[in-house]
Amino acid sequence: MQRNGPILVLRAGALGDLVQFTAVIAALADHHDQPVDVVTNGGFADQALTGMPEVGRVFAMRHRRRPVWLAPDLHLVGKTLAQRGYAEAYAFDRSPVIERALAAAGTLIHTDLSSPAERHLDHCLDHYAVVLAHLGIAVPQPFLPRVVVTASERRSANELMQRHGLGGRPVIAIQPGNSRTLHPLHRLRPQRNLKAWPTSSWAATITALAYQHPEMVFAVLGAPNEWGVGEELKAALPASVQARTANL
């Protein structure tokens, strides 16, 4: 039986983690028939979730694992959440400070959401689908991330592609890097980056997509210090595909 009141979900991580998690946010909002508030971390949270009707308020933490005396913003977030009077909270990431504040306010907190039994699954969405099913929450089909792109963002993206001579065409965005490719020692020990696909695999995937979709162009994305990763990938492509690829 559902309790009355606002709903909260906790999920921290990098930008890609949050984008994937939007599928869960949408499922929870549909289950409770109301937008859900989100606690996450990073300055990118507001922008990533902007425009999603399934999202209520967004609370961004700077340091989710630090003790309160080293992260006063965490204490303030916990205090604000306690005052909101949440009926239920889903902790896909654990934060003892926030969980204590919610429990003191009488919130029902679901914390057993990372069962080792599902860790063998290939993709995080597969894991999320199993967790939602265990909670008795319907998993929508297709179960996919949701990102709202505004008209102004589309114009900005097209202008950027225009500067590379590829504007006005549908784009497939590729981001080969991850948090470990940002590490200054990445070039010295790439074999330790188990989160990354080999450049040859990315190149083969882009090449296959290029031949299947001759109308498409490709945008290789990444942080400024991942530009070399993009250049390495672009150099591994056939010349005809390189001409349709921008390293952004």
Side-chain angles (χ1 to χ4, degrees):
M1 180 177 178
Q2 295 183 26
R3 308 171 88 191
N4 294 325
I7 304 301
L8 182 72
V9 61
L10 291 82
R11 176 65 173 102
L15 176 58
D17 300 317
L18 183 59
V19 170
Q20 297 288 349
F21 192 70
T22 56
V24 177
I25 293 172
L28 290 173
D30 183 67
H31 178 73
H32 290 280
D33 196 26
Q34 62 175 301
V36 299
D37 290 357
V38 180
V39 177
T40 184
N41 65 303
F44 49 77
D46 280 325
Q47 186 174 4
L49 300 176
T50 293
M52 279 190 67
E54 299 90 350
V55 175
R57 295 184 62 181
V58 177
F59 301 90
M61 303 175 291
R62 292 184 60 192
H63 306 291
R64 65 189 175 98
R65 289 196 177 97
R66 289 187 181 180
V68 175
W69 56 89
L70 293 178
D73 62 310
L74 187 58
H75 176 72
L76 291 175
V77 169
K79 184 176 180 180
T80 300
L81 296 176
Q83 294 170 348
R84 290 272 290 163
Y86 288 101
E88 296 184 54
Y90 297 85
F92 283 82
D93 270 292
R94 305 300 302 274
S95 172
V97 173
I98 288 178
E99 289 176 30
R100 284 196 297 269
L102 292 172
T107 301
L108 172 63
I109 308 173
H110 304 277
T111 58
D112 189 20
L113 305 181
S114 298
S115 170
E118 281 81 50
R119 290 178 183 168
H120 68 282
L121 296 174
D122 290 335
H123 197 280
C124 62
L125 289 177
D126 297 328
H127 168 71
Y128 290 148
V130 172
V131 170
L132 290 174
H134 285 173
L135 291 168
I137 297 173
V139 179
Q141 298 298 326
F143 186 52
L144 298 172
R146 306 185 182 191
V147 177
V148 177
V149 181
T150 66
S152 62
E153 289 171 337
R154 290 182 186 276
R155 286 193 298 270
S156 296
N158 187 54
E159 290 170 1
L160 180 59
M161 294 300 287
Q162 286 279 15
R163 292 200 288 272
H164 289 267
L166 299 173
R169 299 171 66 178
V171 180
I172 295 178
I174 305 290
Q175 183 157 346
N178 55 61
S179 58
R180 296 180 188 176
T181 57
L182 293 171
H183 196 283
L185 297 180
H186 166 67
R187 291 293 174 190
L188 300 179
R189 52 180 188 184
Q191 72 279 3
R192 295 182 61 180
N193 187 2
L194 301 180
K195 294 179 67 177
W197 236 18
T199 299
S200 57
S201 298
W202 280 114
T205 299
I206 295 174
T207 301
L209 288 170
Y211 288 121
Q212 292 174 15
H213 303 281
E215 77 284 3
M216 306 293 288
V217 294
F218 300 88
V220 181
L221 309 179
N225 53 339
E226 290 179 307
W227 187 81
V229 176
E231 285 298 286
E232 179 182 327
L233 172 55
K234 188 173 179 180
L237 299 171
S240 60
V241 182
Q242 287 185 28
R244 294 163 53 190
T245 303
N247 179 23
L248 306 179

